Amino acid sequence: MSSIPSGRRRRLRRSGEVRPSADWADLPIDALLSVLHKLEPIELMVGSAGRVCRSWRRAVRDEPELWRRIDMRVRKDHRYRIDEGTAREAVRRASGRCEAFWGEDATDHFLIFLAEQ
């Protein structure tokens, strides 16, 4: 839903006036991280946040701050499948800064991997 009243939108279209748009790629990193922290790790891994633009994809992939607390527990409303590979990638993205990890049905191999990180 637009914040511009419909009559004003029609006048803008007819007059050819261009409304300045926000460039989400130019957000400062602290603002971007604040936005991305609102998402769950599984949404960052396989959701669309990394598809917004190159700077968002880079932040999701390369910012260890996003991966300090990783919750990979399955929820009823998740449409994503969480497997061990996804969980390992989330821990790798933490770059040794993972402070907490929640998950279900972890294998011994994964627990050893987690402890070594």
Side-chain angles (χ1 to χ4, degrees):
M1 182 174 251
S2 175
S3 62
I4 300 175
S6 61
R8 171 107 169 100
R9 279 196 308 267
R10 281 193 293 274
R11 284 191 301 277
L12 285 174
R13 269 185 258 140
R14 275 187 257 144
S15 70
E17 182 182 337
V18 177
R19 181 174 176 240
S21 62
D23 188 356
W24 293 96
D26 291 336
L27 278 177
I29 192 66
D30 57 335
L32 177 56
L33 292 177
S34 181
V35 169
L36 293 175
H37 269 294
K38 302 288 184 194
L39 300 173
E40 294 181 30
I42 192 64
E43 293 170 317
L44 292 172
M45 291 293 295
V46 296
S48 58
R51 295 184 208 139
V52 171
C53 61
R54 188 174 294 142
S55 64
W56 283 44
R57 184 171 40 258
R58 201 173 306 124
V60 167
R61 186 189 64 219
D62 299 336
E63 282 295 331
E65 174 64 28
L66 289 172
W67 305 100
R68 287 180 35 205
R69 303 177 67 77
I70 304 169
D71 187 351
M72 291 282 182
R73 292 176 288 190
V74 178
R75 291 176 181 68
K76 292 177 186 168
D77 61 337
H78 273 172
R79 60 180 182 264
Y80 308 114
R81 187 173 149 265
I82 301 171
D83 60 11
E84 186 173 322
T86 304
R88 282 178 181 262
E89 180 59 25
V91 172
R92 278 189 203 100
R93 290 180 183 192
S95 299
R97 298 181 189 158
C98 182
E99 297 173 356
F101 184 92
W102 296 271
E104 297 170 351
D105 303 324
T107 64
D108 290 345
H109 295 291
F110 177 74
L111 293 175
I112 292 169
F113 167 80
L114 185 59
E116 289 172 348
Q117 298 298 308

